[in-house]
């Protein structure tokens, strides 16, 4: 897909620009701020623009806010992409098996999916992290556990439609194994609508990770935007920038991911329409 198609609307262009900045921050963080972002960098509660070595000031412990923003972008992007990849992988497999097998297998798998959907995603993530313990891998697994049901339902619906097509019947006639037919012939054609959910899952994962960190359930060894917002609560009246700056970064990142995803979907739909 060409960039001109992705930039066909102002919303998509803005989303891609924001997403590009987020990726640039995440990639550049180790080079621009090689020190531990949790280390003390100056006097505590230094306001923004008072010291150009610390342009956005410091928090209550004297940690650099800019370094926290850049390293927090790495955490948010890593969690969002990993959770989206895991949930789409699990959802695609479960949806393909349910839709292609049908019968009792389909019924059992979809009832399990229904059971997970009855529990609010954030509460499920909160419960798992509380029981297992806060770490980046546990946070990713918890978010994926609450997000796989959407891709499952979409994959199943697509597979139910595709499995009756002529090329699938031809594959059965020549003796291909049902598992090979399902994952080699059917699943690749069912994936595009599932992948369209990626931006929504990434955005939701970034928000969920921030919420868990805000509650003190994020990885304690990593800087997170939710943790920075929580850190600023105690001095919200005297130093509101400690919560406002990472809050703005969080909102812009989620908005950028969502708008960029919408741009990709619209560009794909336009290309298919012209075809």
């Amino acid at each position: 897909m060409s960039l001109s198609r992705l930039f066909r609307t102002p919303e998509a262009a803005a989303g891609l620009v924001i997403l590009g900045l987020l990726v640039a921050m995440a990639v550049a963080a180790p080079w621009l701020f090689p020190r531990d972002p949790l280390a003390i960098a100056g006097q505590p509660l230094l306001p923004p623009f008072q010291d150009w070595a610390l342009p956005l000031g410091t928090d209550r412990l004297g940690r650099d806010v800019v370094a926290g923003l850049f390293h927090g972008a790495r955490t948010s992007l890593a969690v969002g992409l990993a959770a989206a990849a895991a949930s789409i992988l699990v959802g695609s497999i479960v949806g393909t098996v349910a839709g292609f097998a049908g019968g009792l297998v389909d019924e059992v798998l979809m009832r399990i999916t229904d059971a997970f959907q009855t529990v609010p995603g954030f509460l499920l993530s909160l419960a798992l992290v509380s029981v297992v313990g806060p770490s980046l891998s546990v946070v990713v697994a918890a978010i994926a556990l609450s997000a796989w049901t959407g891709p499952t339902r979409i994959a199943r619906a697509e597979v139910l439609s595709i499995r009756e097509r002529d090329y699938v019947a031809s594959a059965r006639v020549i003796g291909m194994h049902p598992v090979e037919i399902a994952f080699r012939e059917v699943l690749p054609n069912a994936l595009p609508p599932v992948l369209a959910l990626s931006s929504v899952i990434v955005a939701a994962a970034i928000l969920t990770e921030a919420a868990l960190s805000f509650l003190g359930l994020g990885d304690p060894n990593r800087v997170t935007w939710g943790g920075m917002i929580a850190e600023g609560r105690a001095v919200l009246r005297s130093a509101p920038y400690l919560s406002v700056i990472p809050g703005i970064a969080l909102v812009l990142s989620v908005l950028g991911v969502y708008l960029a995803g919408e741009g990709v979907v619209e560009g794909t739909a336009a290309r298919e329409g012209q075809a």
Side-chain angles (χ1 to χ4, degrees):
M1 184 185 298
S2 65
L3 286 177
S4 61
R5 292 187 182 275
L6 292 179
F7 283 89
R8 61 187 303 116
T9 64
E11 295 84 0
L16 288 169
V17 169
I18 295 172
L19 185 57
L21 289 175
L22 176 64
V23 173
M25 289 174 63
V27 172
W31 285 273
L32 294 179
F33 304 98
R35 293 182 57 194
D36 183 358
L38 296 174
I40 296 175
Q43 69 180 63
L45 296 177
L46 179 68
F49 312 121
Q50 299 295 312
D51 183 352
W52 289 111
L54 302 166
L56 293 182
T58 58
D59 64 7
R60 293 190 302 162
L61 299 178
R63 296 174 295 195
D64 187 357
V65 173
V66 174
L69 281 180
F70 274 71
H71 283 271
R74 289 173 63 85
T75 303
S76 294
L77 199 61
V79 169
L81 293 177
S87 59
I88 288 176
L89 176 63
V90 173
S92 298
I93 293 174
V94 175
T96 299
V97 172
F100 194 79
L104 181 60
V105 173
D106 183 24
E107 187 69 20
V108 171
L109 290 177
M110 295 317 295
R111 296 297 75 78
I112 294 174
T113 303
D114 291 340
F116 273 88
Q117 283 191 310
T118 59
V119 182
F122 178 71
L123 292 181
L124 187 61
S125 301
L126 182 64
L128 181 61
V129 175
S130 299
V131 171
V132 179
S135 69
L136 197 64
S137 58
V138 173
V139 169
V140 169
I143 295 173
L145 187 65
S146 64
W148 65 273
T149 55
T152 295
R153 289 196 172 278
I154 293 179
R156 175 181 177 271
E158 290 295 313
V159 170
L160 287 174
S161 172
I162 294 172
R163 72 177 185 178
E164 304 301 331
R165 296 183 182 176
D166 292 341
Y167 69 87
V168 177
S170 300
R172 290 193 180 100
V173 169
I174 64 175
M176 288 182 65
H177 193 277
V179 174
E180 187 179 6
I181 297 174
F183 290 99
R184 185 175 176 180
E185 303 293 334
V186 176
L187 179 57
N189 294 293
L191 271 181
V194 178
L195 294 177
L197 281 178
S198 298
S199 61
V200 176
I201 296 175
V202 170
I206 291 174
L207 283 175
T208 301
E209 185 278 327
L212 291 172
S213 297
F214 182 82
L215 296 175
L217 293 173
D219 191 331
N221 299 316
R222 290 178 177 266
V223 176
T224 64
W225 289 339
M228 293 175 69
I229 296 172
E231 174 68 23
R233 279 185 305 173
V235 290
L236 193 58
R237 291 183 180 274
S238 59
Y241 67 92
L242 291 179
S243 293
V244 171
I245 292 174
I248 292 174
L250 180 62
V251 171
L252 289 177
S253 297
V254 172
L255 183 63
V257 169
Y258 178 76
L259 291 178
E262 287 295 302
V264 172
V265 171
E266 290 177 8
T268 303
R271 184 179 61 181
E272 291 177 352
Q274 292 176 357

